[in-house]
Amino acid sequence: MDHKAPIHEFFGLSFNLSNVLMITVASIIVFIIAVLGARTLAMKPTGMQNFVEWIIDFVKGIIGSNMDWKTGGRFLFLGATLLMYIFVSNMLGLPFAVVVDHTLWWKSPTADPGIALTLAAMVVVLTHYYGIKMKGVAEYGRDYFRPLPLLFPLKIIEEFANTLTLGLRLYGNIFAGEILLGLLAGLSASGVFGILGGAIPMLLWQGFSLFVGTIQAFIFTMLTMVYMAHKVTKDH
Amino acid sequence: MNLIAAAIAIGLGALGAGIGNGLIVSRTVEGVARQPEAQGKLQTIMFIGVALVEALPIIAVVMAFIFQGQ
């Protein structure tokens, strides 16, 4: 918890090199999974292709439960990328964390508030972009006054609240999990009674963190599609 | 002072999360008991509901760690 972050300045901007490293690792892993899944495509999928097809099907289900396929189909790869990237990011911090003299280098990238909030902000900006692109500016503007024009300030606040909660939900879950993993690892490293007392909670907490990481990736993708559906389809 | 703030934050957050999740899961169990074929859909909605309700208590946990660290 009191680990420093390796922050370096390039051209007047400060970069957290640990974030840069972890984002690169997550991107490479997702890229490898995707490339391996699409190598030799067969009509009857086996192995890796089966797994990636299952992911695509799962995202299709998420989109289908929010919008009709004609408007929603274009978001399939956005959803699949978000799901895989956030899932891999959440899992990276579970096996170990690497601290090199008081600076934390290896962690989940989503355990950093900047990264989680950037993902959320990008998603909300994308919903506005697609709202304007698919409905036109006039219709997009009029949607703020439906169903009741009185609720306009609430709709504005809703945009900011959605962004904040989307990002902070992901950050909070993964960060709190990592802190507890660190505490349990410290307990297990502090002598024989530490190992006896800390082994089972460590196992349980690792399992629970796996579950939470998966659920948070699913929730992020699901809420992305829900917000997209609010902006892009006409209900009422 | 910081520790008291952290304790209040986590305590109230846990209270809210516990009550909220309890309500959600109890209704889900009731729904599945009435109609066992709907278990898949109801379970999915339950997980979404739990994640939404737990968002703010989790933010309270993070703030408690921040208070405690200062």
Side-chain angles (χ1 to χ4, degrees), chain A residues 168-169 171-173 179 211 218-219 222-223, chain B residues 44 47-48 51-52 55 58-59 61-62 65:
Chain A
L168 290 179
R169 178 184 303 116
Y171 161 60
N173 273 292
I179 289 193
F211 173 66
F218 166 62
I219 289 288
M222 169 68 91
L223 281 176
Chain B
T44 307
F47 281 126
I48 298 175
L52 282 171
I58 276 279
I59 295 176
V61 166
V62 171
F65 278 123

Side-chain angles (χ1 to χ4, degrees), chain A residues 128-208:
Chain A
H128 285 278
Y129 168 74
Y130 275 109
I132 299 185
K133 178 173 172 204
M134 291 172 64
K135 277 177 150 183
V137 189
E139 188 64 24
Y140 162 80
R142 257 176 269 145
D143 257 343
Y144 279 105
F145 296 94
R146 300 198 185 115
L148 276 181
L150 173 64
L151 297 176
F152 176 62
L154 278 178
K155 285 234 152 186
I156 300 291
I157 296 179
E158 180 188 6
E159 295 306 316
F160 293 104
N162 281 345
T163 316
L164 276 177
T165 52
L166 194 59
L168 290 179
R169 178 184 303 116
L170 180 59
Y171 161 60
N173 273 292
I174 307 301
F175 182 60
E178 283 210 337
I179 289 193
L180 217 56
L181 276 175
L183 285 175
L184 281 172
L187 171 64
S188 303
S190 67
V192 182
F193 289 116
I195 299 182
L196 289 178
I200 300 201
M202 184 60 144
L203 240 115
L204 291 174
W205 190 248
Q206 288 274 11
F208 188 66

Side-chain angles (χ1 to χ4, degrees), chain B residues 42-64:
Chain B
L42 287 178
Q43 211 167 325
T44 307
I45 298 182
M46 177 191 88
F47 281 126
I48 298 175
V50 162
L52 282 171
V53 158
E54 290 211 335
L56 280 165
I58 276 279
I59 295 176
V61 166
V62 171
M63 305 210 70

Side-chain angles (χ1 to χ4, degrees), chain A residues 28-97:
Chain A
I28 292 180
I29 294 181
V30 171
F31 183 71
I32 292 180
I33 295 179
V35 163
L36 283 182
R39 280 284 215 89
T40 42
L41 289 175
M43 273 314 278
K44 295 208 176 93
T46 52
M48 208 58 190
Q49 184 185 342
N50 215 354
F51 176 59
V52 177
E53 281 198 10
W54 176 81
I55 294 179
I56 300 279
D57 243 341
F58 188 62
V59 179
K60 245 182 153 190
I62 294 181
I63 297 180
S65 68
N66 288 308
M67 327 178 227
D68 56 296
W69 192 248
K70 191 158 165 293
T71 36
R74 71 198 71 206
F75 304 119
L76 176 63
F77 287 108
L78 171 68
T81 309
L82 278 174
L83 186 66
M84 291 209 294
Y85 185 76
I86 296 180
F87 176 72
V88 167
S89 297
N90 292 350
M91 294 299 129
L92 278 178
L94 289 186
F96 43 77

